Amino acid sequence: KAGVTQTPRYLIKTRGQQVTLSCSPISGHRSVSWYQQTPGQGLQFLFEYFSETQRNKGNFPGRFSGRQFSNSRSEMNVSTLELGDSALYLCASSLDASAWGTDTQYFGPGTRLTVL
Amino acid sequence: KNQVEQSPQSLIILEGKNCTLQCNYTVSPFSNLRWYKQDTGRGPVSLTIMTFSENTKSNGRYTATLDADTKQSSLHITASQLSDSASYICVVSGRNTGKLIFGQGTTLQVKP
């Protein structure tokens, strides 16, 4: 069974630009969560989607948005990039809503975003 | 403020030795607590998930304990191997809050 895939793996952008990251969950998984990981802040929860609906959102500005398609694939968009947005963006999938339940989350390898 | 604090920040042990990592949290009300292992350059891998009613859970050489009264959890690694070298992250889920609070992680290095 294929794992969670994320594309692209690496991305370099300049300040002010926008970026879209993609996540394909494990087949059959309906919940997709997004996380930002930086050396200073560690892992932080961005948002979770389940059946095309955003169920929960972390404490990030509105520049960070996402969506989920009917096939459970998800995209995350960051507009007006800032230097501080440089991070590893991780996506995780699970069978059902995972943030509060006990379903195992399976993480992808992440997208390394560098903002210059 | 909901917080998750892990200790030690980093740890070096010899192959074959045991070690214990700590996680203290203030998240309340509490739903569940997870331990993840993250190898350098890779996404985290789930080790254990415990609800507030569980005291211990094992996954091979990894055993997590939870004391919901004192809001403390530990991850015990038995007979360490070189492949255990990684960051170990504790994550606490708040009940009804929709929030996940992450610890800063403990970096473990196992030396031959």
Side-chain angles (χ1 to χ4, degrees):
Chain A
K1 201 175 200 179
V4 178
T5 59
Q6 293 187 244
T7 58
R9 292 293 312 278
Y10 302 91
L11 203 51
I12 299 175
K13 292 285 187 179
T14 57
R15 279 183 300 173
Q17 288 187 307
Q18 75 166 18
V19 66
T20 299
L21 312 181
S22 181
C23 171
S24 292
I26 292 172
S27 177
H29 285 192
R30 298 165 66 190
S31 172
V32 174
S33 298
W34 287 90
Y35 301 86
Q36 182 195 67
Q37 187 173 34
T38 60
Q41 299 294 321
L43 264 170
Q44 296 183 87
F45 172 66
L46 279 158
F47 29 64
E48 176 189 19
Y49 286 87
F50 180 78
S51 293
E52 302 180 65
T53 301
Q54 186 183 89
R55 291 187 63 151
N56 284 287
K57 190 176 189 301
N59 297 323
F60 279 81
R63 299 186 297 108
F64 292 81
S65 63
R67 59 178 176 168
Q68 187 180 33
F69 302 96
S70 58
N71 61 358
S72 293
R73 189 177 70 85
S74 178
E75 287 182 347
M76 191 192 92
N77 185 77
V78 187
S79 62
T80 320
L81 284 166
E82 301 176 359
L83 295 178
D85 296 333
S86 293
L88 179 67
Y89 290 89
L90 292 159
C91 124
S93 77
S94 67
L95 279 171
D96 206 321
S98 59
W100 308 271
T102 54
D103 280 356
T104 298
Q105 281 192 307
Y106 296 87
F107 281 81
T111 293
R112 174 74 62 185
L113 171 65
T114 302
V115 182
L116 303 176
Chain B
K1 181 182 176 184
N2 289 328
Q3 285 187 312
V4 176
E5 294 185 355
Q6 292 186 242
S7 62
Q9 190 172 16
S10 62
L11 184 62
I12 301 174
I13 62 173
L14 292 176
E15 186 179 13
K17 297 296 185 182
N18 303 336
C19 68
T20 300
L21 314 181
Q22 299 289 344
C23 173
N24 296 338
Y25 62 93
T26 60
V27 179
S28 182
F30 159 82
S31 176
N32 60 68
L33 185 147
R34 303 159 184 255
W35 282 94
Y36 287 97
K37 176 190 178 189
Q38 186 174 23
D39 293 317
T40 301
R42 308 191 72 167
V45 173
S46 180
L47 294 175
T48 62
I49 304 170
M50 290 185 292
T51 65
F52 64 89
S53 62
E54 296 177 290
N55 300 118
T56 185
K57 186 160 280 190
S58 293
N59 178 358
R61 294 179 298 102
Y62 301 100
T63 299
T65 63
L66 173 64
D67 185 334
D69 292 331
T70 61
K71 295 185 170 58
Q72 296 179 324
S73 177
S74 64
L75 180 69
H76 186 72
I77 304 174
T78 304
S80 61
Q81 301 175 359
L82 297 178
S83 59
D84 292 331
S85 296
S87 286
Y88 291 84
I89 303 168
C90 173
V91 185
V92 179
S93 167
R95 196 189 319 160
N96 302 326
T97 64
K99 302 300 181 188
L100 292 177
I101 311 297
F102 292 83
Q104 286 292 88
T106 292
T107 301
L108 174 64
Q109 187 177 0
V110 181
K111 290 191 169 184

